[in-house]
Amino acid sequence: MPEPSESDRRKAAQLAPEVAVTRLVDCLARGLDVRFKCQYCGMERTWGRREFLGQRLRQRLAWTIARAQAGVFCPQKGCGGHRPIVRLMQGGYRDGHADTPDARRAHVSTMLLDVGVLPEEVGL
């Protein structure tokens, strides 16, 4: 099977408009995980709640999915592929007490404050 061309890779990595403008903090609020798949070596990695609130990503929660996709490179040694394929998936966590938008917002604000991020800094 031939290697995909650059235009094929661009098409595969193209995001739907509503996904491209989704911010990482919105993914956190809705319980979504962001899965990246390298188009060159096939390695996958997922950002979930733990990664969003971790040291590396917590200051980038205001980023859109499109900006995150542009800044992510394959961590596999020797690959370094760019333009990963991005998928949003329902995460393995569900906040039962955050079933309304206002309750969800309050819960996310509390989570952010617990890790030292002001909700205003990430657009909440």
Side-chain angles (χ1 to χ4, degrees):
M1 184 167 189
E3 187 73 19
S5 68
E6 278 303 309
S7 65
D8 290 340
R9 290 185 198 277
R10 249 190 322 277
K11 287 177 189 174
Q14 191 172 12
L15 298 170
E18 62 275 1
V19 173
V21 298
T22 302
R23 295 175 305 153
L24 295 177
V25 71
D26 297 331
C27 292
L28 176 66
R30 292 188 285 178
L32 299 174
D33 289 346
V34 181
R35 175 174 281 171
F36 297 93
K37 182 176 181 182
C38 179
Q39 295 191 60
Y40 296 88
C41 71
M43 181 178 180
E44 293 183 8
R45 75 174 157 184
T46 303
W47 290 352
R49 176 184 283 184
R50 184 181 321 161
E51 288 77 19
F52 291 139
L53 298 176
Q55 192 70 21
R56 287 185 53 226
L57 287 180
R58 74 173 75 141
Q59 297 304 321
R60 296 179 177 104
L61 287 173
W63 284 14
T64 62
I65 297 293
R67 183 173 177 191
Q69 179 189 36
V72 171
F73 291 88
C74 183
Q76 184 70 26
K77 188 175 182 173
C79 178
H82 60 285
R83 264 196 315 266
I85 297 172
V86 178
R87 299 283 181 255
L88 297 181
M89 313 174 329
Q90 185 60 49
Y93 50 90
R94 219 40 195 164
D95 295 319
H97 61 280
D99 53 357
T100 65
D102 290 336
R104 190 176 310 126
R105 181 183 170 106
H107 183 66
V108 170
S109 295
T110 303
M111 280 192 299
L112 292 172
L113 289 170
D114 286 346
V115 297
V117 176
L118 293 174
E120 299 83 31
E121 290 176 356
V122 294
L124 282 184

